[in-house]
Amino acid sequence: MPSGNVHDTVNTVALTGYVAYSVATQQTDWLPTAVGIAVGTLWLSPDLDLKSEPYYRHGPLRVLWMPYVKIMPHRSIWSHGLIIGDLIRLMYSAAFLIPLLFLALYLKLVESSTVDSWFASMPAFIIGVMVASTIHIVLDHSSSFFRTKKKRKKRR
Ligand SMILES: [Zn+2]
Protein backbone atom coordinates (compact mmCIF):
# COMPACT_ATOMS: atom_id res chain seq x y z
CA MET A 1 0.00 0.00 0.00
CA PRO A 2 1.48 3.39 -0.96
CA SER A 3 1.93 5.88 1.88
CA GLY A 4 -0.41 8.82 2.40
CA ASN A 5 2.28 11.10 0.97
CA VAL A 6 2.44 9.12 -2.28
CA HIS A 7 -1.35 9.31 -2.61
CA ASP A 8 -1.33 13.06 -1.90
CA THR A 9 1.48 13.68 -4.38
CA VAL A 10 -0.07 11.67 -7.22
CA ASN A 11 -3.49 13.28 -6.67
CA THR A 12 -1.94 16.75 -6.50
CA VAL A 13 -0.19 16.13 -9.83
CA ALA A 14 -3.53 15.00 -11.32
CA LEU A 15 -5.31 18.05 -9.87
CA THR A 16 -2.62 20.40 -11.19
CA GLY A 17 -2.86 18.78 -14.63
CA TYR A 18 -6.65 19.09 -14.62
CA VAL A 19 -6.57 22.77 -13.60
CA ALA A 20 -3.79 23.58 -16.11
CA TYR A 21 -5.70 21.84 -18.92
CA SER A 22 -8.97 23.57 -17.96
CA VAL A 23 -7.37 27.01 -17.84
CA ALA A 24 -5.40 26.44 -21.07
CA THR A 25 -8.55 25.36 -22.92
CA GLN A 26 -10.54 28.21 -21.33
CA GLN A 27 -13.07 25.97 -19.59
CA THR A 28 -15.43 27.91 -17.35
CA ASP A 29 -16.84 25.33 -14.95
CA TRP A 30 -13.76 23.46 -13.72
CA LEU A 31 -13.70 24.83 -10.16
CA PRO A 32 -16.27 22.48 -8.49
CA THR A 33 -14.50 19.42 -9.95
CA ALA A 34 -11.09 20.77 -8.85
CA VAL A 35 -12.44 21.39 -5.34
CA GLY A 36 -13.91 17.85 -5.41
CA ILE A 37 -10.50 16.37 -6.30
CA ALA A 38 -8.86 18.35 -3.47
CA VAL A 39 -11.53 17.38 -0.91
CA GLY A 40 -11.49 13.76 -2.12
CA THR A 41 -7.71 13.68 -1.67
CA LEU A 42 -7.33 15.52 1.62
CA TRP A 43 -10.48 14.72 3.60
CA LEU A 44 -12.67 12.08 1.91
CA SER A 45 -9.96 9.58 0.98
CA PRO A 46 -10.74 5.83 0.90
CA ASP A 47 -8.12 5.53 3.68
CA LEU A 48 -10.59 7.12 6.12
CA ASP A 49 -11.16 3.46 7.04
CA LEU A 50 -7.94 3.80 9.10
CA LYS A 51 -6.62 6.40 11.51
CA SER A 52 -4.76 7.87 8.54
CA GLU A 53 -3.67 11.38 7.53
CA PRO A 54 -7.09 12.20 5.98
CA TYR A 55 -8.68 11.11 9.27
CA TYR A 56 -6.41 13.41 11.36
CA ARG A 57 -6.97 16.31 8.92
CA HIS A 58 -10.53 16.56 10.23
CA GLY A 59 -9.03 17.95 13.45
CA PRO A 60 -11.37 17.79 16.44
CA LEU A 61 -14.22 16.84 14.07
CA ARG A 62 -12.49 13.52 13.45
CA VAL A 63 -14.59 12.11 16.31
CA LEU A 64 -17.47 12.20 13.79
CA TRP A 65 -15.49 9.71 11.64
CA MET A 66 -14.73 7.35 14.55
CA PRO A 67 -17.77 5.10 13.87
CA TYR A 68 -16.78 4.93 10.18
CA VAL A 69 -13.20 3.92 11.10
CA LYS A 70 -14.52 1.27 13.51
CA ILE A 71 -17.12 -0.17 11.10
CA MET A 72 -15.18 -0.19 7.81
CA PRO A 73 -12.75 -3.07 7.26
CA HIS A 74 -9.58 -1.58 5.73
CA ARG A 75 -9.51 -1.78 1.92
CA SER A 76 -12.93 -3.44 1.78
CA ILE A 77 -15.27 -2.78 -1.14
CA TRP A 78 -17.26 -0.44 1.15
CA SER A 79 -14.32 1.99 1.48
CA HIS A 80 -12.11 1.10 -1.50
CA GLY A 81 -14.81 0.14 -4.02
CA LEU A 82 -15.22 2.41 -7.05
CA ILE A 83 -18.27 4.70 -6.72
CA ILE A 84 -19.80 2.74 -3.79
CA GLY A 85 -17.02 3.86 -1.42
CA ASP A 86 -17.51 7.49 -2.48
CA LEU A 87 -21.27 7.31 -2.17
CA ILE A 88 -20.99 5.91 1.37
CA ARG A 89 -18.47 8.60 2.45
CA LEU A 90 -20.54 11.38 0.83
CA MET A 91 -23.77 10.17 2.47
CA TYR A 92 -21.95 9.81 5.79
CA SER A 93 -20.70 13.42 5.45
CA ALA A 94 -24.16 14.62 4.41
CA ALA A 95 -25.61 13.14 7.61
CA PHE A 96 -23.83 15.82 9.65
CA LEU A 97 -23.48 18.56 7.00
CA ILE A 98 -27.15 18.81 5.97
CA PRO A 99 -28.39 19.55 9.53
CA LEU A 100 -25.66 22.23 9.78
CA LEU A 101 -26.81 23.66 6.44
CA PHE A 102 -30.42 23.87 7.67
CA LEU A 103 -29.19 25.55 10.85
CA ALA A 104 -27.16 28.06 8.80
CA LEU A 105 -30.24 28.77 6.63
CA TYR A 106 -32.43 29.13 9.72
CA LEU A 107 -29.96 31.54 11.33
CA LYS A 108 -29.67 33.36 7.97
CA LEU A 109 -25.91 32.80 7.89
CA VAL A 110 -26.24 31.79 4.21
CA GLU A 111 -28.70 32.85 1.53
CA SER A 112 -30.90 30.20 -0.05
CA SER A 113 -29.65 31.35 -3.49
CA THR A 114 -26.09 30.52 -2.36
CA VAL A 115 -27.22 27.05 -1.28
CA ASP A 116 -28.97 26.65 -4.67
CA SER A 117 -25.71 27.40 -6.47
CA TRP A 118 -23.84 24.92 -4.22
CA PHE A 119 -26.35 22.22 -5.12
CA ALA A 120 -26.05 23.09 -8.82
CA SER A 121 -22.27 22.51 -8.53
CA MET A 122 -22.71 19.26 -6.57
CA PRO A 123 -22.56 16.80 -9.53
CA ALA A 124 -19.23 18.29 -10.72
CA PHE A 125 -17.93 18.26 -7.13
CA ILE A 126 -18.92 14.59 -6.70
CA ILE A 127 -17.18 13.70 -9.97
CA GLY A 128 -14.03 15.36 -8.57
CA VAL A 129 -14.26 13.31 -5.35
CA MET A 130 -14.68 10.14 -7.44
CA VAL A 131 -11.68 11.01 -9.64
CA ALA A 132 -9.53 11.43 -6.51
CA SER A 133 -10.59 8.11 -5.01
CA THR A 134 -10.31 6.29 -8.37
CA ILE A 135 -6.65 7.39 -8.61
CA HIS A 136 -6.16 6.28 -4.99
CA ILE A 137 -7.71 2.84 -5.60
CA VAL A 138 -5.78 2.26 -8.85
CA LEU A 139 -2.54 3.17 -7.02
CA ASP A 140 -3.39 0.80 -4.12
CA HIS A 141 -4.12 -2.08 -6.51
CA SER A 142 -1.11 -1.49 -8.75
CA SER A 143 1.27 -1.36 -5.76
CA SER A 144 -0.23 -4.65 -4.47
CA PHE A 145 0.15 -6.19 -7.94
CA PHE A 146 3.81 -5.20 -8.24
CA ARG A 147 4.55 -6.30 -4.66
CA THR A 148 3.08 -9.75 -5.35
CA LYS A 149 5.11 -10.02 -8.56
CA LYS A 150 8.30 -9.05 -6.69
CA LYS A 151 7.65 -11.68 -3.98
CA ARG A 152 7.11 -14.39 -6.63
CA LYS A 153 10.42 -13.47 -8.29
CA LYS A 154 12.26 -13.70 -4.95
CA ARG A 155 10.89 -17.20 -4.30
CA ARG A 156 12.30 -18.56 -7.58
ZN1 LIG B 1 -6.10 2.99 0.29
Side-chain angles (χ1 to χ4, degrees):
M1 180 177 64
S3 73
N5 283 340
V6 172
H7 282 302
D8 290 352
T9 304
V10 171
N11 281 24
T12 303
V13 168
L15 173 62
T16 306
Y18 172 71
V19 172
Y21 172 80
S22 301
V23 171
T25 56
Q26 297 177 337
Q27 307 282 326
T28 53
D29 49 0
W30 56 269
L31 189 60
T33 306
V35 171
I37 294 172
V39 169
T41 300
L42 297 173
W43 292 283
L44 291 181
S45 158
D47 283 349
L48 269 177
D49 60 5
L50 290 174
K51 287 186 177 173
S52 58
E53 288 166 50
Y55 170 80
Y56 287 108
R57 281 190 192 115
H58 287 270
L61 294 177
R62 68 179 178 265
V63 293
L64 296 171
W65 286 95
M66 206 59 198
Y68 181 90
V69 172
K70 293 274 182 205
I71 293 167
M72 287 294 158
H74 181 50
R75 291 182 90 177
S76 71
I77 192 166
W78 309 114
S79 66
H80 280 66
L82 291 173
I83 301 171
I84 185 76
D86 298 301
L87 292 179
I88 290 172
R89 279 187 300 282
L90 287 166
M91 287 190 298
Y92 191 94
S93 305
F96 41 80
L97 289 176
I98 287 178
L100 280 179
L101 190 60
F102 278 113
L103 184 67
L105 279 169
Y106 178 76
L107 297 174
K108 299 194 186 304
L109 297 173
V110 285
E111 295 286 321
S112 60
S113 60
T114 307
V115 175
D116 285 346
S117 72
W118 289 347
F119 275 101
S121 302
M122 203 50 77
F125 171 80
I126 291 171
I127 287 170
V129 171
M130 288 179 173
V131 166
S133 70
T134 300
I135 296 168
H136 177 108
I137 292 162
V138 167
L139 206 59
D140 274 357
H141 283 282
S142 55
S143 80
S144 298
F145 173 78
F146 287 114
R147 191 170 300 141
T148 312
K149 228 178 173 181
K150 215 175 176 183
K151 274 185 187 169
R152 277 193 194 140
K153 261 190 175 174
K154 271 188 177 174
R155 277 189 206 146
R156 282 182 191 164

PDB file of all heavy atoms in Angstrom, residues 1-2 7 45-50 74-75 79-80 133 136-137 139-141, ligand 1:
ATOM      1  N   MET A   1       0.850  -1.193   0.000  1.00  0.00           N
ATOM      2  CA  MET A   1       0.000   0.000   0.000  1.00  0.00           C
ATOM      3  C   MET A   1       0.885   1.242   0.000  1.00  0.00           C
ATOM      4  O   MET A   1       1.751   1.365   0.849  1.00  0.00           O
ATOM      5  CB  MET A   1      -0.886  -0.034   1.243  1.00  0.00           C
ATOM      6  CG  MET A   1      -1.804   1.143   1.355  1.00  0.00           C
ATOM      7  SD  MET A   1      -2.885   1.030   2.794  1.00  0.00           S
ATOM      8  CE  MET A   1      -1.716   1.103   4.141  1.00  0.00           C
ATOM      9  N   PRO A   2       0.680   2.164  -0.963  1.00  0.00           N
ATOM     10  CA  PRO A   2       1.483   3.389  -0.958  1.00  0.00           C
ATOM     11  C   PRO A   2       1.178   4.231   0.283  1.00  0.00           C
ATOM     12  O   PRO A   2       0.070   4.162   0.816  1.00  0.00           O
ATOM     13  CB  PRO A   2       1.029   4.116  -2.223  1.00  0.00           C
ATOM     14  CG  PRO A   2       0.205   3.155  -2.996  1.00  0.00           C
ATOM     15  CD  PRO A   2      -0.283   2.132  -2.035  1.00  0.00           C
ATOM     16  N   HIS A   7       0.012   9.029  -2.126  1.00  0.00           N
ATOM     17  CA  HIS A   7      -1.349   9.310  -2.608  1.00  0.00           C
ATOM     18  C   HIS A   7      -1.559  10.810  -2.800  1.00  0.00           C
ATOM     19  O   HIS A   7      -2.090  11.246  -3.825  1.00  0.00           O
ATOM     20  CB  HIS A   7      -2.387   8.773  -1.611  1.00  0.00           C
ATOM     21  CG  HIS A   7      -2.601   7.299  -1.703  1.00  0.00           C
ATOM     22  ND1 HIS A   7      -3.013   6.676  -2.867  1.00  0.00           N
ATOM     23  CD2 HIS A   7      -2.470   6.318  -0.784  1.00  0.00           C
ATOM     24  CE1 HIS A   7      -3.124   5.376  -2.646  1.00  0.00           C
ATOM     25  NE2 HIS A   7      -2.796   5.135  -1.386  1.00  0.00           N
ATOM     26  N   SER A  45     -10.743  10.655   1.587  1.00  0.00           N
ATOM     27  CA  SER A  45      -9.965   9.584   0.982  1.00  0.00           C
ATOM     28  C   SER A  45     -10.529   8.212   1.376  1.00  0.00           C
ATOM     29  O   SER A  45     -11.093   8.060   2.463  1.00  0.00           O
ATOM     30  CB  SER A  45      -8.527   9.710   1.480  1.00  0.00           C
ATOM     31  OG  SER A  45      -7.842   8.506   1.366  1.00  0.00           O
ATOM     32  N   PRO A  46     -10.348   7.195   0.512  1.00  0.00           N
ATOM     33  CA  PRO A  46     -10.742   5.833   0.899  1.00  0.00           C
ATOM     34  C   PRO A  46     -10.038   5.361   2.179  1.00  0.00           C
ATOM     35  O   PRO A  46     -10.572   4.530   2.900  1.00  0.00           O
ATOM     36  CB  PRO A  46     -10.308   4.979  -0.306  1.00  0.00           C
ATOM     37  CG  PRO A  46     -10.346   5.927  -1.458  1.00  0.00           C
ATOM     38  CD  PRO A  46      -9.915   7.258  -0.887  1.00  0.00           C
ATOM     39  N   ASP A  47      -8.860   5.932   2.478  1.00  0.00           N
ATOM     40  CA  ASP A  47      -8.124   5.533   3.680  1.00  0.00           C
ATOM     41  C   ASP A  47      -8.712   6.103   4.972  1.00  0.00           C
ATOM     42  O   ASP A  47      -8.115   5.936   6.045  1.00  0.00           O
ATOM     43  CB  ASP A  47      -6.637   5.892   3.563  1.00  0.00           C
ATOM     44  CG  ASP A  47      -5.891   4.920   2.666  1.00  0.00           C
ATOM     45  OD1 ASP A  47      -6.462   3.864   2.310  1.00  0.00           O
ATOM     46  OD2 ASP A  47      -4.730   5.207   2.311  1.00  0.00           O
ATOM     47  N   LEU A  48      -9.887   6.722   4.896  1.00  0.00           N
ATOM     48  CA  LEU A  48     -10.590   7.115   6.122  1.00  0.00           C
ATOM     49  C   LEU A  48     -11.024   5.880   6.916  1.00  0.00           C
ATOM     50  O   LEU A  48     -11.500   5.997   8.034  1.00  0.00           O
ATOM     51  CB  LEU A  48     -11.835   7.948   5.781  1.00  0.00           C
ATOM     52  CG  LEU A  48     -11.657   9.456   5.714  1.00  0.00           C
ATOM     53  CD1 LEU A  48     -12.957  10.101   5.295  1.00  0.00           C
ATOM     54  CD2 LEU A  48     -11.212  10.019   7.054  1.00  0.00           C
ATOM     55  N   ASP A  49     -10.840   4.684   6.318  1.00  0.00           N
ATOM     56  CA  ASP A  49     -11.155   3.456   7.042  1.00  0.00           C
ATOM     57  C   ASP A  49     -10.047   3.091   8.029  1.00  0.00           C
ATOM     58  O   ASP A  49     -10.083   2.048   8.668  1.00  0.00           O
ATOM     59  CB  ASP A  49     -11.461   2.305   6.062  1.00  0.00           C
ATOM     60  CG  ASP A  49     -10.301   1.997   5.135  1.00  0.00           C
ATOM     61  OD1 ASP A  49      -9.222   2.586   5.290  1.00  0.00           O
ATOM     62  OD2 ASP A  49     -10.494   1.164   4.228  1.00  0.00           O
ATOM     63  N   LEU A  50      -9.042   3.957   8.139  1.00  0.00           N
ATOM     64  CA  LEU A  50      -7.941   3.802   9.101  1.00  0.00           C
ATOM     65  C   LEU A  50      -7.754   5.129   9.816  1.00  0.00           C
ATOM     66  O   LEU A  50      -8.208   6.155   9.329  1.00  0.00           O
ATOM     67  CB  LEU A  50      -6.611   3.565   8.362  1.00  0.00           C
ATOM     68  CG  LEU A  50      -6.324   2.298   7.628  1.00  0.00           C
ATOM     69  CD1 LEU A  50      -5.003   2.472   6.900  1.00  0.00           C
ATOM     70  CD2 LEU A  50      -6.255   1.138   8.577  1.00  0.00           C
ATOM     71  N   HIS A  74     -10.519  -2.293   6.604  1.00  0.00           N
ATOM     72  CA  HIS A  74      -9.583  -1.583   5.729  1.00  0.00           C
ATOM     73  C   HIS A  74      -9.511  -2.235   4.349  1.00  0.00           C
ATOM     74  O   HIS A  74      -9.388  -3.439   4.233  1.00  0.00           O
ATOM     75  CB  HIS A  74      -8.190  -1.534   6.365  1.00  0.00           C
ATOM     76  CG  HIS A  74      -7.194  -0.794   5.518  1.00  0.00           C
ATOM     77  ND1 HIS A  74      -7.441   0.460   5.002  1.00  0.00           N
ATOM     78  CD2 HIS A  74      -5.971  -1.139   5.069  1.00  0.00           C
ATOM     79  CE1 HIS A  74      -6.404   0.845   4.271  1.00  0.00           C
ATOM     80  NE2 HIS A  74      -5.503  -0.109   4.300  1.00  0.00           N
ATOM     81  N   ARG A  75      -9.586  -1.397   3.337  1.00  0.00           N
ATOM     82  CA  ARG A  75      -9.514  -1.779   1.921  1.00  0.00           C
ATOM     83  C   ARG A  75     -10.647  -2.714   1.509  1.00  0.00           C
ATOM     84  O   ARG A  75     -10.504  -3.492   0.571  1.00  0.00           O
ATOM     85  CB  ARG A  75      -8.159  -2.382   1.565  1.00  0.00           C
ATOM     86  CG  ARG A  75      -7.063  -1.325   1.616  1.00  0.00           C
ATOM     87  CD  ARG A  75      -5.727  -1.878   1.223  1.00  0.00           C
ATOM     88  NE  ARG A  75      -5.539  -1.723  -0.225  1.00  0.00           N
ATOM     89  CZ  ARG A  75      -4.433  -2.071  -0.848  1.00  0.00           C
ATOM     90  NH1 ARG A  75      -3.430  -2.592  -0.192  1.00  0.00           N
ATOM     91  NH2 ARG A  75      -4.326  -1.909  -2.140  1.00  0.00           N
ATOM     92  N   SER A  79     -15.134   0.767   1.405  1.00  0.00           N
ATOM     93  CA  SER A  79     -14.322   1.989   1.483  1.00  0.00           C
ATOM     94  C   SER A  79     -13.471   2.161   0.225  1.00  0.00           C
ATOM     95  O   SER A  79     -13.250   3.269  -0.233  1.00  0.00           O
ATOM     96  CB  SER A  79     -13.419   1.971   2.716  1.00  0.00           C
ATOM     97  OG  SER A  79     -12.460   0.943   2.611  1.00  0.00           O
ATOM     98  N   HIS A  80     -13.006   1.037  -0.359  1.00  0.00           N
ATOM     99  CA  HIS A  80     -12.110   1.097  -1.504  1.00  0.00           C
ATOM    100  C   HIS A  80     -12.776   0.591  -2.786  1.00  0.00           C
ATOM    101  O   HIS A  80     -12.091   0.245  -3.746  1.00  0.00           O
ATOM    102  CB  HIS A  80     -10.835   0.304  -1.229  1.00  0.00           C
ATOM    103  CG  HIS A  80      -9.832   1.055  -0.398  1.00  0.00           C
ATOM    104  ND1 HIS A  80     -10.071   1.399   0.907  1.00  0.00           N
ATOM    105  CD2 HIS A  80      -8.609   1.566  -0.695  1.00  0.00           C
ATOM    106  CE1 HIS A  80      -9.022   2.059   1.381  1.00  0.00           C
ATOM    107  NE2 HIS A  80      -8.128   2.181   0.429  1.00  0.00           N
ATOM    108  N   SER A 133     -10.627   9.440  -5.619  1.00  0.00           N
ATOM    109  CA  SER A 133     -10.593   8.106  -5.011  1.00  0.00           C
ATOM    110  C   SER A 133     -10.266   7.038  -6.053  1.00  0.00           C
ATOM    111  O   SER A 133      -9.651   6.035  -5.721  1.00  0.00           O
ATOM    112  CB  SER A 133     -11.890   7.794  -4.284  1.00  0.00           C
ATOM    113  OG  SER A 133     -12.919   7.608  -5.194  1.00  0.00           O
ATOM    114  N   HIS A 136      -6.629   6.924  -6.219  1.00  0.00           N
ATOM    115  CA  HIS A 136      -6.164   6.277  -4.987  1.00  0.00           C
ATOM    116  C   HIS A 136      -6.282   4.751  -5.102  1.00  0.00           C
ATOM    117  O   HIS A 136      -5.329   4.019  -4.818  1.00  0.00           O
ATOM    118  CB  HIS A 136      -7.005   6.793  -3.813  1.00  0.00           C
ATOM    119  CG  HIS A 136      -6.668   6.162  -2.497  1.00  0.00           C
ATOM    120  ND1 HIS A 136      -6.001   6.833  -1.501  1.00  0.00           N
ATOM    121  CD2 HIS A 136      -6.907   4.913  -2.014  1.00  0.00           C
ATOM    122  CE1 HIS A 136      -5.829   6.026  -0.482  1.00  0.00           C
ATOM    123  NE2 HIS A 136      -6.387   4.854  -0.757  1.00  0.00           N
ATOM    124  N   ILE A 137      -7.446   4.282  -5.543  1.00  0.00           N
ATOM    125  CA  ILE A 137      -7.709   2.841  -5.601  1.00  0.00           C
ATOM    126  C   ILE A 137      -6.813   2.169  -6.640  1.00  0.00           C
ATOM    127  O   ILE A 137      -6.243   1.101  -6.395  1.00  0.00           O
ATOM    128  CB  ILE A 137      -9.215   2.593  -5.880  1.00  0.00           C
ATOM    129  CG1 ILE A 137     -10.042   3.049  -4.659  1.00  0.00           C
ATOM    130  CG2 ILE A 137      -9.490   1.123  -6.210  1.00  0.00           C
ATOM    131  CD1 ILE A 137     -11.521   3.264  -4.958  1.00  0.00           C
ATOM    132  N   LEU A 139      -3.899   3.178  -7.593  1.00  0.00           N
ATOM    133  CA  LEU A 139      -2.542   3.168  -7.023  1.00  0.00           C
ATOM    134  C   LEU A 139      -2.397   2.047  -5.983  1.00  0.00           C
ATOM    135  O   LEU A 139      -1.392   1.334  -5.964  1.00  0.00           O
ATOM    136  CB  LEU A 139      -2.264   4.533  -6.389  1.00  0.00           C
ATOM    137  CG  LEU A 139      -0.827   4.990  -6.291  1.00  0.00           C
ATOM    138  CD1 LEU A 139      -0.196   5.064  -7.664  1.00  0.00           C
ATOM    139  CD2 LEU A 139      -0.759   6.349  -5.617  1.00  0.00           C
ATOM    140  N   ASP A 140      -3.403   1.886  -5.113  1.00  0.00           N
ATOM    141  CA  ASP A 140      -3.387   0.802  -4.122  1.00  0.00           C
ATOM    142  C   ASP A 140      -3.265  -0.558  -4.814  1.00  0.00           C
ATOM    143  O   ASP A 140      -2.436  -1.378  -4.452  1.00  0.00           O
ATOM    144  CB  ASP A 140      -4.683   0.794  -3.293  1.00  0.00           C
ATOM    145  CG  ASP A 140      -4.630   1.728  -2.088  1.00  0.00           C
ATOM    146  OD1 ASP A 140      -3.566   2.339  -1.848  1.00  0.00           O
ATOM    147  OD2 ASP A 140      -5.656   1.847  -1.389  1.00  0.00           O
ATOM    148  N   HIS A 141      -4.106  -0.782  -5.840  1.00  0.00           N
ATOM    149  CA  HIS A 141      -4.115  -2.079  -6.511  1.00  0.00           C
ATOM    150  C   HIS A 141      -2.834  -2.309  -7.301  1.00  0.00           C
ATOM    151  O   HIS A 141      -2.306  -3.415  -7.284  1.00  0.00           O
ATOM    152  CB  HIS A 141      -5.334  -2.211  -7.431  1.00  0.00           C
ATOM    153  CG  HIS A 141      -6.590  -2.502  -6.671  1.00  0.00           C
ATOM    154  ND1 HIS A 141      -6.879  -3.758  -6.190  1.00  0.00           N
ATOM    155  CD2 HIS A 141      -7.604  -1.705  -6.278  1.00  0.00           C
ATOM    156  CE1 HIS A 141      -8.036  -3.712  -5.540  1.00  0.00           C
ATOM    157  NE2 HIS A 141      -8.495  -2.473  -5.578  1.00  0.00           N
TER     158      HIS A 141
HETATM  159 ZN    ZN B   1      -6.099   2.993   0.294  1.00  0.00          ZN
END
